[in-house]
């Protein structure tokens, strides 16, 4: 079992879209039994996967009462891909972790889920708090989507500091240039400055994920966007194999 966090301290970078599409790649391309764990209160992952939230707000109860998280897992329409959805209760999770005083609660829950899943992906909230610290302790790899801009470069530095501060054995970080449009000078400069980083292009097919409520590989498998996510997933699997 391996755990992958898709994380950014900056909103609007395509984090949730990355999480959903990479989880789909894990299940459909690698044939891994995959769980996408949404830790962002907006429940964007559930929306993009066509999974409507249950009325009861209970996403945080698995931490407070130490309930079995498997009871909250929902199936998706895609074979091998399940979702542990978020809801508004997640907004108070940081304070809850502080009250519990358990620094590795999330990691322990993840290990128990690893009996059923080969890959667990976290769609992280764009914050620096105890939730992000717990995610870093649980993750084997951190994926950081970065639109090509000076502000994104600064955000990446914050992520690096956060990951390194999670402990001596912090997970490796894989930065990815997202929403890249090489017709723009700033984007081309960012690509030239980081030629070895994986790339996911600016593409209408990715924007359509919110309309289709499906990963891009499910409705536009031959598109450049679908190929980009497949290539990124292959890079992730290679990175995990180096552990």
């Amino acid at each position: 079992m391996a755990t992958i966090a898709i994380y950014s301290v900056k909103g609007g970078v395509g984090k949730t879209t990355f999480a959903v599409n990479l989880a789909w790649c894990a299940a459909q391309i690698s044939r891994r039994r995959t769980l996408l764990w949404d830790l962002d209160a907006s429940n964007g992952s559930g929306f993009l996967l066509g999974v409507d939230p249950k009325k009861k707000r209970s996403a945080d109860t698995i931490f407070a009462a130490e309930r079995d998280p498997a009871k909250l897992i929902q199936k998706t329409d895609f074979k091998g891909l399940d979702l542990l959805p978020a809801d508004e209760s997640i907004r108070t999770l940081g304070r809850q972790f502080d009250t519990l005083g358990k620094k590795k609660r999330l990691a322990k829950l993840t290990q128990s889920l690893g009996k059923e899943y080969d890959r667990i992906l976290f769609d992280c909230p764009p914050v620096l708090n105890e939730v992000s610290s717990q995610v870093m302790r649980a993750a084997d790899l951190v994926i950081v989507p970065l639109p090509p801009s000076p502000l994104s470069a600064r955000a990446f530095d914050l992520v690096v500091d956060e990951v390194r501060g999670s402990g001596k054995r912090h997970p490796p970080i894989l930065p990815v240039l997202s929403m890249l449009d090489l017709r723009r000078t700033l984007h081309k400069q960012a690509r030239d400055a980081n030629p070895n980083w994986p790339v996911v292009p600016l593409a209408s097919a990715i924007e359509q994920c919110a309309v289709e409520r499906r990963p891009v590989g499910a409705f536009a498998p031959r598109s450049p966007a679908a190929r980009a996510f497949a290539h990124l997933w292959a890079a992730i699997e290679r990175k995990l194999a180096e552990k």
Side-chain angles (χ1 to χ4, degrees):
M1 190 270 288
T3 53
I4 303 111
I6 295 84
Y7 181 63
S8 174
V9 295
K10 185 177 182 294
V13 301
K15 172 185 60 65
T16 294
T17 303
F18 266 61
V20 167
N21 281 279
L22 291 176
W24 184 89
C25 288
Q28 302 300 311
I29 296 176
S30 293
R31 304 297 181 187
R32 305 280 191 178
R33 180 87 171 124
T34 303
L35 175 68
L36 177 54
W37 191 339
D38 194 347
L39 292 168
D40 193 333
S42 64
N43 192 37
S45 289
F47 178 81
L48 291 182
L49 286 170
V51 177
D52 294 319
K54 295 180 179 179
K55 291 183 179 180
K56 187 177 180 181
R57 297 182 176 186
S58 56
D60 66 337
T61 59
I62 58 176
F63 301 98
E66 299 195 8
R67 287 177 55 192
D68 181 1
K71 294 180 180 179
L72 295 179
I73 290 173
Q74 294 181 243
K75 299 289 184 182
T76 74
D77 290 336
F78 308 103
K79 184 178 180 180
L81 176 56
D82 293 342
L83 174 72
L84 186 48
D87 57 43
E88 287 292 327
S89 67
I90 291 290
R91 293 191 188 280
T92 63
L93 192 54
R95 294 196 299 272
Q96 191 167 300
F97 278 140
D98 288 337
T99 302
L100 285 170
K102 296 180 179 180
K103 298 296 184 181
K104 295 186 178 180
R105 176 65 179 142
L106 183 61
K108 289 180 179 178
L109 287 170
T110 302
Q111 286 299 318
S112 69
L113 289 167
K115 299 173 184 177
E116 299 294 329
Y117 296 97
D118 304 311
R119 297 288 181 263
I120 298 177
L121 287 82
F122 300 108
D123 181 6
C124 304
V127 293
L128 289 169
N129 61 10
E130 181 57 25
V131 177
S132 58
S133 295
Q134 292 251 353
V135 169
M136 298 311 148
R137 296 184 192 108
D140 295 310
L141 179 65
V142 180
I143 308 300
V144 183
L146 293 166
S149 76
L151 283 177
S152 294
R154 182 175 180 275
F156 180 60
D157 291 338
L158 292 174
V159 172
V160 171
D161 290 342
E162 171 74 1
V163 173
R164 288 176 176 170
S166 65
K168 292 181 180 179
R169 299 182 62 184
H170 59 77
I173 306 169
L174 182 61
V176 183
L177 284 174
S178 69
M179 297 185 280
L180 186 72
D181 184 352
L182 291 177
R183 295 171 299 180
R184 301 181 184 179
T185 301
L186 188 62
H187 289 213
K188 190 175 185 302
Q189 290 173 348
R191 181 56 175 158
D192 291 341
N194 305 284
N196 297 322
W197 288 7
V199 168
V200 172
L202 181 69
S204 59
I206 295 176
E207 295 174 346
Q208 283 294 114
C209 287
V211 178
E212 295 281 342
R213 297 188 70 184
R214 291 184 292 165
V216 67
F219 66 88
R222 294 183 176 84
S223 66
R227 291 197 299 271
F229 279 119
H231 290 158
L232 174 56
W233 180 251
I236 290 170
E237 288 280 28
R238 288 194 299 271
K239 200 81 173 177
L240 292 173
E242 296 172 0
K243 285 200 310 174

